Amino acid sequence: MTPPSVRRGVAILGSTGSIGATALRVLDRQQDRFRVTALTAFNNAALLAEQAARFRPPFVGIVRNGVDSSSGWHVGAECLVEAARRDDVDVVINAVVGAAGLDATLAALERGKRVALANKETLVMAGELVTEACSKGGGEIVPVDSEHSAILQCITGRPGVEVSRVIITASGGPFRQWSAERLEQATLEDALRHPTWRMGRKITVDCATLANKALEVIEAHFLFGLSYDRIEVVVHPQSVVHSFVEFIDGSVLAQVGVPSMELPVLYALTHPDRVADSGVPRFDPVSMSPLTFEPLRAEQFPAFALGVAAGRSGGGAPAVFNAANEAAVELFLAGRIKYGDIGVAIASALEALGHVSGENREAVLAADDAARRHVQERFGC
Ligand code: NAD
Ligand code: MG
């Protein structure tokens, strides 16, 4: 594909994080096609300043702290939506962690922009609102998550009716083979030791509890319009097959590659096209061998089943699941609860609040808030 005559403007929300840094490396190599027009971060002003000096975007936003007013930066939580709405932004890479990314996703979709979505929590908590904003505003959601990027790459160009089932792969995380007794002793350090991926702390813990896989099942439901009966999960410890799609004639396609977020980020920018890129590690089947698959041990990972059940219930339940998980993971990262308490906290929040409504933005935010308070009050003391 030849580079277009006008470069597309890209905003990176959460540029100082793991996906944000990957996105900047991709954009650095793809300067013929894209230019960085906005960057935002939570509070890492030093790294954000370095990125701003290097890429010179017209808009820089920081949510909190330590910036003097002469910097010209936009300060406060609204900077995410401001960046997402800008006329010089064609693509919003939403690489924020957690529910904080919701309004920016909605704002970008309402303005007809492409959202390259890493921030899966947004789609989980408010899947109906987000897909509605997308169809009304003429925007487009392209997943950055490697499993969903794989599915998209397998189905692009095919009508939805030809897809019979998707099988999402899961590495199984650091506790894949741990017994129930050993899991009771699991520490934060153990949970942060992911076998195949280097990521931010929140998603790394989600991979240890398998809450991440439940988030991904719900994400697939909304992205591809598939009923939950047509979404399965298999454990694949090597993280080389990024997911499978089965078609109605029985054929199964998979997208494979070295575990790296470079390709999913690049593809989210260029979909449905493919462009030459030197940053994606090349695949060698022999050195990647053997590839193995095994069932998910749901009984050891309660967060997974709770999340999928919340997805199936619909309404405000996915927002409650997501917020309870975020709040519990925050407590776990702060050393205030044990690993096993994460699943207990999610179950408790869903039992108390699982039937709340999720019919509009206010209801979703109320469900989110109630679940966070529930976990804080019961488990945070
Ligand atoms: P991270 O913690 O490394 O980075 C998060 C970014 O979001 C940072 O730039 C931070 O400044 C910003 N941020 C955090 N809280 C914020 C708030 N309240 N308001 C505004 N900005 C805020 O996380 P990450 O690993 O890059 O993950 C980002 C998202 O991508 C998550 O939703 C995660 O599930 C998803 N994801 C990540 C990976 C990966 O490989 N890291 C893979 C798939 C999906
Ligand atoms: Mg994933």
Side-chain angles (χ1 to χ4, degrees), residues 9-11 35 37-38 83-92 113:
V10 180
R35 68 195 173 106
T37 45
R85 282 203 178 126
R86 285 175 65 87
D87 290 339
D88 61 3
V89 168
D90 302 297
V91 183
V92 174
K113 299 180 196 291

Side-chain angles (χ1 to χ4, degrees), residues 67-73:
V67 188
D68 73 65
S69 53
S70 63
S71 65
W73 289 7

Side-chain angles (χ1 to χ4, degrees), residues 120 145-148 169 197 203 212-213 216 219 261:
K120 64 189 92 180
D145 222 349
S146 56
E147 297 79 357
H148 305 74
T169 52
W197 296 97
I203 184 176
N212 181 56
K213 230 20 84 172
E216 293 188 353
E219 184 186 4
M261 291 308 291

